């Protein structure tokens, strides 16, 4: 791309962003570079690249051209100074946390983070004598108070998985910075199409690229974008700890991201229509979707997000037993522990977002067992509603 990056719409960046540097022999598509190492005839040049004073690649655990294109595309979409990747979303999240947390440090977060992230906070970080404070997700004053009592890392996620609660990124980022904390935001649910955490004040935006960024449920990946100094530190941690994104996965993520804007538009519209349909259904007792005017934080969603996203969750009359009866009746949905794909995907938290957490742990986190998480795909909305209508009829 020869134009200045800030002149291009995200819809254009998803298609073109970050690709030109590595196009090979007039190819129009990015190559999958499987080579583990990169050879140099000139030892001085080799040394310059190793020291980072010249651009280039040395060894595949550290950097790779295909992986670099994926990182550059996300960097442009998040409006970040830098981006670095990891083998999975959890690798990106755990590497980011471990880079900046050590014995005696303190992290503040919320109770509703993704199940795996929540396990890092409750099971692993305390064994390293990291002080972990997890506050009720909707208690912004409580979060500010916990941050005010000392904070090295403020870790946020919005909307949350699976109850779709929102955090006020502008307000909480400001509180984090007053305390001198690094502010991280898991932007997986919203995607850079619907929400820009860095523009709202955060230092780092993190993704499970496995979900919406890739969008086709065929590649695992993670990415962190934000302040160059912080991303550089996370890269140094990741290259040594070794959770590197595979070049083939990077290619699949790049290919998926070319349609990110189209998919998010359609998935957001489908989720909104499904949420409205469910809200009016007699067997449904509650629907969580930030785009509904009944959502307690709808006003915040309107301020902070450009679209309300493809994710929702709902409860049915009769709890988990009722879920077990109607879920198998859906024909146009994978019952699987994934989200953000082109196919509609559903499941209860016990087998999806919070599979790593025990039943009592889920209860303590306020995750109802009878909830259904619904990730809207890109199918025609009429077919999705007909399918739900048929399945819910068994209740
Ligand atoms: C899936 C998910 C993760 C973890 O990503 P993996 O790629 O499965 O490691 C983190 N955060 C959120 C919000 C997720 O949905």
């Amino acid at each position: 791309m020869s134009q200045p990056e800030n002149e291009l719409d995200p819809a254009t960046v998803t298609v073109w962003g970050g690709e030109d540097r590595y196009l090979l022999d007039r190819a129009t598509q990015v190559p999958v570079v499987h080579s583990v190492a990169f050879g140099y005839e000139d030892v001085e040049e080799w040394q310059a690249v190793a020291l980072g004073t010249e651009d280039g690649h040395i060894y595949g655990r550290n950097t790779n051209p295909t992986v670099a294109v994926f990182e550059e595309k996300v960097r442009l979409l998040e409006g970040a100074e830098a981006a670095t990747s990891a083998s999975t979303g959890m690798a990106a999240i755990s590497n980011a946390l471990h880079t900046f947390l050590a014995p005696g440090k303190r992290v503040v977060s919320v109770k509703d983070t993704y199940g795996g992230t929540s396990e890092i906070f409750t099971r692993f970080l305390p064994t390293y004598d990291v002080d972990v404070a997890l506050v009720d997700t909707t208690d912004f004053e409580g979060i500010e108070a916990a941050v005010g009592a000392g904070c090295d890392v403020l870790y946020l996620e919005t909307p949350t998985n699976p109850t779709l609660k929102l955090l006020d990124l502008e307000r909480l980022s400001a509180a984090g910075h007053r305390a001198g904390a690094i502010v991280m935001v898991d932007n997986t649910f919203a995607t850079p199409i619907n929400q820009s955490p860095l523009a709202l004040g955060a230092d780092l935006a993190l993704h499970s690229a496995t979900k919406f960024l890739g969008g086709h449920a065929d590649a695992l990946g993670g990415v962190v974008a934000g302040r160059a100094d912080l991303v550089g530190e996370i890269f140094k941690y990741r290259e040594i700890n070794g959770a590197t994104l595979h070049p083939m996965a990077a290619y699949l993520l790049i290919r998926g991201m070319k349609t990110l804007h189209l998919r998010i538009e359609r998935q957001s519209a489908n989720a909104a229509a499904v949420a409205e349909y469910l809200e009016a259904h007699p067997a449904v007792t509650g629907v969580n979707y930030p785009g509904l005017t009944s959502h307690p934080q709808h006003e915040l969603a309107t301020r902070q997000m450009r679209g309300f996203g493809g994710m929702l969750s709902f409860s049915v009359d009769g709890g988990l037993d009722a879920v077990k009866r109607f879920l198998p009746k859906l024909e146009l949905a994978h019952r699987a522990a994934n989200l953000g794909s082109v196919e509609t995907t559903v499941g209860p938290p016990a087998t999806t977002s919070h599979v790593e957490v025990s039943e009592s742990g889920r209860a303590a986190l306020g995750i109802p067992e009878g909830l259904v998480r619904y990730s809207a795909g890109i199918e025609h909305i009429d077919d999705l509603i007909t399918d739900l209508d048929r399945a819910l009829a068994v209740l």
Side-chain angles (χ1 to χ4, degrees), residues 179-200:
I182 297 165
V183 180
M184 306 182 183
V185 178
D186 185 332
N187 201 28
T188 300
F189 264 37
T191 80
I193 301 298
N194 280 340
Q195 179 170 275
S196 300
L198 304 179
L200 294 165

Side-chain angles (χ1 to χ4, degrees), residues 134-312:
L134 300 183
V135 187
D136 272 337
T137 306
T138 50
D139 180 6
F140 297 164
E141 277 167 31
I143 298 169
E144 285 170 331
V147 168
C151 184
D152 297 290
V153 171
L154 173 60
Y155 185 95
L156 307 172
E157 179 181 327
T158 180
T160 62
N161 186 354
T163 49
L164 283 297
K165 296 188 182 103
L166 264 57
L167 290 168
D168 188 330
L169 290 181
E170 210 160 11
R171 172 175 170 177
L172 297 174
S173 296
H177 289 151
R178 279 196 299 277
I182 297 165
V183 180
M184 306 182 183
V185 178
D186 185 332
N187 201 28
T188 300
F189 264 37
T191 80
I193 301 298
N194 280 340
Q195 179 170 275
S196 300
L198 304 179
L200 294 165
D203 300 303
L204 296 169
L206 299 91
H207 286 274
S208 168
T210 315
K211 313 292 173 49
F212 286 102
L213 293 188
H216 294 72
D218 56 4
L220 293 160
V223 62
V224 185
R227 261 172 56 190
D229 57 333
L230 303 178
V231 168
E233 291 298 309
I234 297 167
F235 166 72
K236 281 188 225 155
Y237 184 95
R238 197 272 294 149
E239 71 171 333
I240 300 306
N241 283 274
T244 305
L245 181 64
H246 193 279
M248 191 63 220
Y251 177 80
L252 291 168
L253 297 171
I254 292 164
R255 177 146 111 163
M257 280 172 71
K258 284 176 183 267
T259 54
L260 180 66
H261 55 301
L262 295 175
R263 287 186 282 109
I264 296 303
E265 232 172 73
R266 179 62 165 256
Q267 285 169 298
S268 301
N270 280 355
V274 165
E276 272 176 34
Y277 159 80
L278 289 171
E279 203 171 39
H281 197 286
V284 174
T285 52
V287 183
N288 306 309
Y289 185 65
L292 291 175
T293 51
S294 62
H295 190 286
Q297 297 167 304
H298 178 65
E299 188 273 325
L300 171 60
T302 310
R303 243 189 307 133
Q304 176 164 284
M305 303 176 77
R306 288 179 289 271
F308 304 117
M311 298 301 303
L312 61 118

Side-chain angles (χ1 to χ4, degrees), residues 111-112 136 357-367:
K111 292 191 173 163
D112 284 83
D136 272 337
V357 182
S358 66
E359 183 170 347
S360 60
R362 285 191 294 274
L365 295 169
I367 314 275

Side-chain angles (χ1 to χ4, degrees), residues 21 25 35 47 54-55 72 76 113 121 131 152 164 171 197 218 230 235 242 247 250 270 275 287 299 321 334 337 360:
R21 180 173 160 205
D25 268 349
S35 183
Q47 220 169 7
E54 250 179 61
D55 265 0
E72 178 65 2
L76 292 167
T113 51
F121 290 138
D131 180 16
D152 297 290
L164 283 297
R171 172 175 170 177
D218 56 4
L230 303 178
F235 166 72
N270 280 355
V287 183
E299 188 273 325
D321 284 338
H334 286 304
S360 60

